[in-house]
Amino acid sequence: MVEKIRKVVFPVAGLGSRFLPATKSVPKEMLPVVDRPLIDYAVEEARKAGVEHFVFVTGRGKGAIEDYFDHAFELETTLSERNKEAALKALSTTQLSHGSASFVRQQKPLGLGHAIWCARDIIGDEPFAVILPDELVLHEQGCLAQMVDAWHSHGGNVVAVAEVPDDQVGQYGIVAPGKDDGRIVEVKGLVEKPAVKDAPSRLALTGRYILSPSVFDELKKGAIGAGGEIQLTDAMASTIGSVPFHAVRFDGARFDCGDKAGYLAANIAYALQRDDIGPKLVDLIPQLKDFVLKEC
Ligand code: G1P
């Protein structure tokens, strides 16, 4: 019996079409929030939750992610020779210990469920986490660590949720809630990207999952769901009743960086938190009002 969540899967094969042309030659997971790429925050959050092995499900054109977490011999040697200590220190989060990262390719964009299924042999028969790097949660402990706490109490599947407004319901997996103590919600059902009128609640899946390996039995069936894709939401829904299933209303500020406004808001929020940039930004923000488009 595994008492720990040791492994995390990062699905990073997506095309990033919402951020073209920037993502034509740069993976969307490498877009920076202040001065660190999105994927770096995801790895940090997993580390804070005690995860030891990082599985990246990549695709064509995603080599920069692999390079980012590799030893950069020339860069590090040059910085070291020039006594650039601060710059060297900035690289410290990019070091994954030997053998603790695996990269597997999703050859075709068949959906999030399919991406997770591509990691099945690396995960094996143990519970694991999934983090979607374009969802950022600003919180000291991290969102996944809060979910691990819930998993220790309830076991089974645990997902992160947040309330979304009606006009966003169709962008998310939505939970049909059962017993709800205000923080932990029993999951009775799940629907991927429903129309508002069909949505069982406004509680949306926000890109963090702890999953029993039984989800792979469902994913291997390859059932096609919303958008013609193999959906993780559908596979999880099929396990309801056979494993405990709970959602966590987590603490922390959430930013959907798959959306341009959300991404820009994340940049501002993360910068404001930093001693080295925050005060300068506070001074600059009032000037930005001059750029607000005026009605003609
Ligand atoms: C995916 C999931 C969806 C979830 C969302 C969170 O959708 O399929 O259930 O709510 O991530 O960001 P995507 O944004 O990849 O369309």
Side-chain angles (χ1 to χ4, degrees), residues 15 21 36 44 82 92 97 127 161 164 193-194 202 206 253 260:
L15 295 176
R36 291 165 58 198
E44 179 187 42
R82 295 182 186 173
S92 62
S97 61
V161 287
V164 294
K193 302 193 172 74
R202 300 293 177 267
T206 57
K260 285 176 196 144

Side-chain angles (χ1 to χ4, degrees), residues 9 57 104 106 110-123 128 215-222 230 232:
V9 179
V57 181
V104 58
Q106 182 189 27
L110 298 179
L112 176 60
H114 180 262
I116 303 305
W117 186 70
C118 288
R120 66 199 179 281
D121 283 345
I122 304 170
I123 297 299
F128 64 102
V215 77
F216 290 124
D217 297 333
E218 298 302 326
L219 288 172
K220 87 168 164 223
K221 295 176 187 165
I230 300 171
L232 180 60

Side-chain angles (χ1 to χ4, degrees), residues 18 28 112 132 134-135 171-174 191-193 204-209 229 231-233 236 254 256:
R18 279 189 276 177
K28 69 171 172 173
L112 176 60
L132 309 190
D134 53 9
E135 291 267 0
Q171 299 167 25
Y172 294 98
I174 301 291
V191 199
E192 179 68 11
K193 302 193 172 74
L205 303 177
T206 57
R208 304 285 185 278
Y209 311 79
E229 297 189 341
Q231 295 291 352
L232 180 60
T233 301
M236 292 189 301
R254 166 182 167 251
D256 182 355

Side-chain angles (χ1 to χ4, degrees), residues 5 14 57 74 91 108 125 142 182 220 232 258 282 285:
I5 301 299
V57 181
E74 285 167 11
L91 295 177
K108 287 185 180 173
D125 190 24
K220 87 168 164 223
L232 180 60
V282 167
I285 283 174

